[in-house]
Amino acid sequence: MRFAKGHGTENDFVILLDPYGSQGLTAGLAARLCDRRAGIGGDGVLRAVRTAACGRCGPGDAVSGHGSGANEAAGPGVGAEWFMDYRNADGSLAEMCGNGIRVFARYLARHGLVTGPEFTVATRSGPRRVRLDAGGDVTADMGAVAVLGPGSAVVADQVYPGLRVSVGNPHLACVVQDSLAAFDLSRPPGLDPGQFPEGGNVELVRVTGARSVAMRVHERGSGETRSCGTGAVAAAAAAAATANGRRGDGHAGNGHGGNVQAENVQAENEQTGNTWEVTVPGGTLGVTLDAGRAWLTGPAVIVAEGELDPSWLATAAHGSAEGVHRL
């Protein structure tokens, strides 16, 4: 089985090409591939499957688990030739990955599997347009962004208020005043299961300028990572909403009440501009918020390609995912 290794701002992935959906990707294999000592190592696995073949994918692949399957996600007439079957480092399925889709696009273009600098990729969150920019960056349409309301996370036994943000997957973005280096993200932050029944990503966000933030993130299913694309969008959306005096409740600053959708973010952008610089441990990303949607721009690098050893693959394919992933 061929593989590639790539990263976007040091958010790294193992990439598998499975155009006909014949090889399959189980949770156990994904976790073993992501093992940084006994596997290749990565924050997740990106499997490239043609959308036309996803009806033949086996259990636990693109068409099962939470979220939509490839054909449903692409929608009629969208024209997405490829489905991004994404799994977290622990083998669990994920709806969307912002850095992952940019690395996925780089891989497809590098191998001549797509035509033109702009094309559509199917994901469990729906179709997403991607564009290879002339300067070398890759931009991805991240879809609709919604600030859903207030929430809180428990980090190292301390409670931090934040905003629940949907970027096709669930986030809690906490704008903090302390230095980000002071936080311990070695353990998963505690979240309200009533608000996050399937878990969520937690971003700690510090505002560093008029339209710039720094961020650390703990990703559901992967632990703390060097970057998170959907997390960068959530961080920018939360910072924009906070700068506008809103905490997702339709009222200024009190943090209690109902829901507010992405128009609050849009209103803030109309006042202060709509492009944010998000600094993460692995580099810098650009997030453009406009008309309730977001675009993510940044580097996407293919580091290496190779062939999985058949004997290792045979062992990994039949092994247990339990205890094999080490961050």
Side-chain angles (χ1 to χ4, degrees):
M1 179 186 291
R2 295 286 300 174
F3 76 91
K5 179 71 181 289
H7 77 92
T9 52
E10 299 181 8
N11 193 189
D12 59 337
F13 308 95
V14 178
I15 307 155
L16 303 177
L17 180 61
D18 187 11
Y20 304 109
S22 58
Q23 296 175 349
L25 177 62
T26 65
L29 177 56
R32 287 180 178 269
L33 286 167
C34 289
D35 190 310
R36 295 193 182 278
R37 294 183 177 88
I40 297 170
D43 294 325
V45 178
L46 308 166
R47 183 173 68 129
V49 185
R50 293 191 186 274
T51 54
C54 281
R56 297 193 296 274
C57 292
D61 291 323
V63 295
S64 63
H66 59 73
S68 300
N71 293 327
E72 180 183 351
V78 170
E81 185 178 359
W82 292 94
F83 173 66
M84 183 181 76
D85 179 20
Y86 178 64
R87 285 187 181 268
N88 295 312
D90 66 355
S92 59
L93 292 167
E95 302 91 341
M96 175 60 179
C97 181
N99 286 326
I101 196 171
R102 297 186 307 99
V103 172
F104 190 83
R106 175 72 74 199
Y107 176 84
L108 294 179
R110 174 173 173 154
H111 284 269
L113 298 172
V114 290
T115 302
E118 188 169 350
F119 49 92
T120 300
V121 172
T123 76
R124 291 188 176 88
S125 287
R128 297 288 185 264
R129 293 291 287 176
V130 291
R131 182 183 70 244
L132 277 67
D133 300 327
D137 285 346
V138 178
T139 295
D141 174 7
M142 301 295 287
V145 182
V147 179
L148 302 175
S152 63
V154 179
V155 180
D157 300 322
Q158 296 292 317
V159 179
Y160 294 91
L163 289 176
R164 291 178 288 118
V165 183
S166 173
V167 193
N169 59 351
H171 292 262
L172 182 76
C174 303
V175 178
V176 300
Q177 301 300 318
D178 297 336
S179 168
L180 296 183
F183 290 91
D184 179 9
L185 289 178
S186 60
R187 293 179 295 163
L191 292 171
D192 181 349
Q195 295 180 334
F196 294 92
E198 294 183 342
N201 297 349
V202 175
E203 289 79 35
L204 299 173
V205 184
R206 187 172 184 181
V207 177
T208 55
R211 288 183 298 279
S212 63
V213 297
M215 179 192 87
R216 285 177 63 194
V217 60
H218 190 286
E219 292 195 58
R220 172 189 64 177
S222 294
E224 183 177 8
T225 58
R226 301 278 292 170
S227 180
C228 174
T230 56
V233 172
T242 301
N244 199 33
R246 298 185 179 272
R247 293 186 53 80
D249 55 353
H251 299 86
N254 63 15
H256 302 285
N259 294 342
V260 60
Q261 297 298 320
E263 50 262 30
N264 288 335
V265 177
Q266 182 183 357
E268 171 61 17
N269 290 331
E270 290 171 352
Q271 297 176 27
T272 64
N274 63 0
T275 298
W276 289 72
E277 181 180 272
V278 181
T279 301
V280 295
T284 301
L285 294 162
V287 175
T288 300
L289 302 170
D290 186 44
R293 299 184 70 85
W295 287 260
L296 178 71
T297 299
V301 180
I302 302 301
V303 176
E305 301 196 33
E307 187 86 23
L308 292 172
D309 182 85
S311 60
W312 180 92
L313 183 60
T315 301
H318 293 93
S320 168
E322 183 178 357
V324 299
H325 177 61
R326 308 178 182 94
L327 294 174

